[in-house]
């Protein structure tokens, strides 16, 4: 690893430690926030079991289980679909059930 790259990495690690200790406050313009969907709440609002919900959204049972247990997070089109289901669970599930029939 080049010396300048290593020095930059070391500075970043030192800054992270200082932030964690409360010694410095990071610039709010560079903080990234990522929304984590509550897939379990979304599924429960739909009134479906894990298996039924997985079939309706085109995912595996294991994927839904992992999302609900916060081991993994849905991404891409699945995240967008779950966001739509969250906003209107009964109506979206009815539409998805029609499409899968």
């Amino acid at each position: 690893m080049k010396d300048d790259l290593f020095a930059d990495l070391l500075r970043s690690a030192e800054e992270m430690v200082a932030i964690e200790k409360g010694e410095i406050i990071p610039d709010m313009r560079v903080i990234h926030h990522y929304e984590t969907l509550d897939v379990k709440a979304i599924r429960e609002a739909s009134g479906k079991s894990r298996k039924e919900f997985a079939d309706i959204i085109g995912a595996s049972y294991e994927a839904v289980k992992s999302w609900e247990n916060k081991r993994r997070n849905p991404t891409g089109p699945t995240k967008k679909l779950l966001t739509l289901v969250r906003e209107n669970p009964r109506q979206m599930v009815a539409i998805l059930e029609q499409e899968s029939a």
Side-chain angles (χ1 to χ4, degrees):
M1 183 179 296
K2 295 188 178 195
D3 289 343
D4 55 337
L5 182 59
F6 180 76
D8 189 41
L9 182 60
L10 184 59
R11 272 192 304 279
S12 294
E14 289 168 344
E15 180 181 13
M16 177 191 67
V17 170
I19 290 169
E20 284 294 315
K21 289 181 175 180
E23 296 169 355
I24 62 172
I25 297 182
D27 184 344
M28 296 306 283
R29 294 173 293 166
V30 297
I31 295 177
H32 300 281
H33 298 277
Y34 298 96
E35 177 187 13
T36 303
L37 294 174
D38 187 347
V39 177
K40 185 174 183 179
I42 294 169
R43 178 187 57 79
E44 288 176 344
S46 76
K48 300 296 180 182
S49 70
R50 270 190 193 155
K51 173 77 172 105
E52 292 169 327
F53 193 72
D55 290 343
I56 291 167
I57 67 169
S60 71
Y61 172 86
E62 289 301 320
V64 173
K65 183 178 174 182
S66 291
W67 299 332
E68 288 188 5
N69 292 324
K70 310 274 189 225
R71 286 186 306 229
R72 293 177 44 210
N73 292 312
T75 59
T78 305
K79 183 176 180 181
K80 295 233 185 240
L81 177 61
L82 289 169
T83 301
L84 291 171
V85 174
R86 178 183 65 191
E87 298 305 315
N88 198 336
R90 301 272 181 197
Q91 183 179 10
M92 284 301 301
V93 166
I95 291 168
L96 292 169
E97 285 178 323
Q98 289 174 357
E99 294 299 317
S100 64

